[in-house]
Amino acid sequence: VGSGAHGERVQREVLKPGGSGNERDWTAMVCRKPGTDISVIASVLAEFGVPFELPAAVSLSGAPVGKVALAALDFVAGSRSRASLLSYLRNPRSSAPLEKVDEFDRQVRKKGLENNFELIAKWKIDVGSLVELDRLAKAAPRGAGSLGLELIAVIREFVTADEYVVRVPAADLRLDLLALASLETVCGEAEAAHNIMREADQEKSGESGGPAKSSRLSGCELLMSGIRQATVRVPASSLRKCVRLLDPHRILNQRFKSVFICGLLEKQFPSFDREDAFFPDADRRELASAFNLSLDTRELRLAEERFLFFHTLHRARERVYLCYPSCDAGGTPNFPSFCVGVPIDIFQPVFLV
């Protein structure tokens, strides 16, 4: 199915060769571009407790800290829906017991509760208070600055709690702290943007002589938009016993026992650009020949993509996994990359699983 299930499938395969020992140091997962796909896989690995190293930028909204922040903001000042509350409660950074969350989910579905006040009241009766959400709800009307400060305080309490620090792997804790730093930057920028919008509204109201109009976006909307656009850059380190998440360029000078090549879909890996309609390859070749120029062509880009794919294959000492989701989140079948069939044609059946 979609990218999330694809990430879970890859995660299960990772545990087979790696187990819980040093074998994970010899496992690499490769995506053509460090974007959505690698963020989904990183998020799934984190949720299942598989240590990983990601020396590249990852979406803040795909990191566990970003997910719990978005869910909390959406519930207290956004959609205020049951789905956002359950997403908040089920996040690994939340302290809510999962068995109680599941029972709560069954009860509210059975009773058809949707209103945020009813949901909070039901949780307080069955489980206990959600003080952090009450704090965020009180801060929301005061603007992006107050809401951002309260959000940072809530997330910091989660990731620095003694019981959490003890049970999570070092790689996950490092990602959480880096995501928290990125969240602090987002909150500061959202507060500045909110203040600028407020001042602009006041200037317009002064010119018109009427009452000041509210800003076009609320503080919560600014914060959520910033979180969705922000990234977290995790530097490379010497962490041990963790899976390496790489792109084809970063794996070129390394060797691993097992290599997972992910996202092998048509036009994704290899990346397949169309010929420029205004400057076609025939004109490029003619100009390059006439004036001794080096001009990019579609064939050259495709050759570079083939090189990256086959070089990635050669980085594996024992096992290569060719991975792609059979269909997207909507159930539409995907077309695998033509590269999937190439190793199958090369190797004898005895070497294929």
Side-chain angles (χ1 to χ4, degrees), residues 291-325:
F291 298 99
N292 194 27
L293 300 175
S294 177
L295 296 177
D296 224 4
T297 64
R298 179 170 168 271
E299 289 82 359
L300 179 59
R301 291 192 296 272
L302 184 56
E304 292 175 349
E305 291 291 320
R306 288 177 181 268
F307 167 79
L308 288 175
F309 175 74
F310 286 109
H311 206 87
T312 301
L313 281 178
H314 293 161
R315 298 301 89 199
R317 296 180 184 272
E318 297 179 5
R319 292 177 292 268
V320 175
Y321 295 81
L322 306 179
C323 311
Y324 66 91

Side-chain angles (χ1 to χ4, degrees), residues 59-315:
S59 170
L60 176 58
S61 61
V65 163
K67 284 185 176 182
V68 73
L70 282 174
L73 289 172
D74 190 45
F75 181 72
V76 301
S79 69
R80 298 180 172 88
S81 66
R82 180 180 63 195
S84 60
L85 177 60
L86 290 171
S87 177
Y88 170 79
L89 293 173
R90 286 199 169 106
N91 194 284
R93 275 56 184 168
S94 172
S95 57
L98 287 180
E99 63 276 7
K100 293 186 178 181
V101 176
D102 291 338
E103 179 61 25
F104 172 76
D105 186 13
R106 287 191 291 270
Q107 292 294 328
V108 296
R109 287 178 183 274
K110 183 178 179 180
K111 296 184 178 181
L113 300 181
E114 291 289 347
N115 181 276
N116 63 322
F117 296 108
E118 295 176 339
L119 292 168
I120 286 291
K122 176 66 175 173
W123 178 268
K124 288 181 178 179
I125 293 173
D126 294 350
V127 184
S129 62
L130 289 170
V131 178
E132 66 276 12
L133 293 184
D134 292 337
R135 288 160 48 190
L136 290 173
K138 292 178 181 178
R142 298 198 294 267
S146 298
L147 182 57
L149 288 174
E150 198 63 58
L151 179 65
I152 291 170
V154 168
I155 300 298
R156 184 180 289 114
E157 290 171 6
F158 284 160
V159 301
T160 58
D162 292 341
E163 61 272 15
Y164 179 74
V165 172
V166 170
R167 67 181 172 86
V168 300
D172 292 356
L173 184 60
R174 183 177 64 146
L175 177 61
D176 285 344
L177 295 176
L178 290 170
L180 178 60
S182 178
L183 182 63
E184 291 175 347
T185 302
V186 168
C187 292
E189 293 174 350
E191 180 183 12
H194 202 223
N195 291 335
I196 292 173
M197 292 167 61
R198 186 179 298 167
E199 291 173 1
D201 290 339
Q202 291 174 351
E203 290 179 2
K204 289 181 180 179
S205 65
E207 294 174 358
S208 63
K213 296 181 179 180
S214 61
S215 299
R216 289 164 290 176
L217 294 177
S218 67
C220 177
E221 291 171 328
L222 285 171
L223 286 170
M224 293 180 70
S225 176
I227 292 172
R228 292 190 180 103
Q229 298 177 38
T231 57
V232 182
R233 180 161 292 278
V234 184
S237 71
S238 57
L239 288 177
R240 307 295 296 172
K241 297 183 180 180
C242 64
V243 176
R244 316 292 166 171
L245 302 185
L246 306 167
D247 60 49
H249 296 282
R250 290 180 179 271
I251 201 176
L252 289 182
N253 297 322
Q254 304 181 60
R255 298 296 298 273
F256 296 89
K257 287 184 178 180
S258 300
V259 173
F260 293 77
I261 308 178
C262 304
L264 286 172
L265 294 175
E266 187 181 47
K267 299 181 181 179
Q268 291 190 20
F269 192 3
S271 178
F272 193 75
D273 295 330
R274 293 185 177 182
E275 184 176 345
D276 193 325
F278 298 99
F279 194 9
D281 288 349
D283 294 345
R284 290 171 179 265
R285 286 190 290 268
E286 185 177 348
L287 286 174
S289 176
F291 298 99
N292 194 27
L293 300 175
S294 177
L295 296 177
D296 224 4
T297 64
R298 179 170 168 271
E299 289 82 359
L300 179 59
R301 291 192 296 272
L302 184 56
E304 292 175 349
E305 291 291 320
R306 288 177 181 268
F307 167 79
L308 288 175
F309 175 74
F310 286 109
H311 206 87
T312 301
L313 281 178
H314 293 161
R315 298 301 89 199

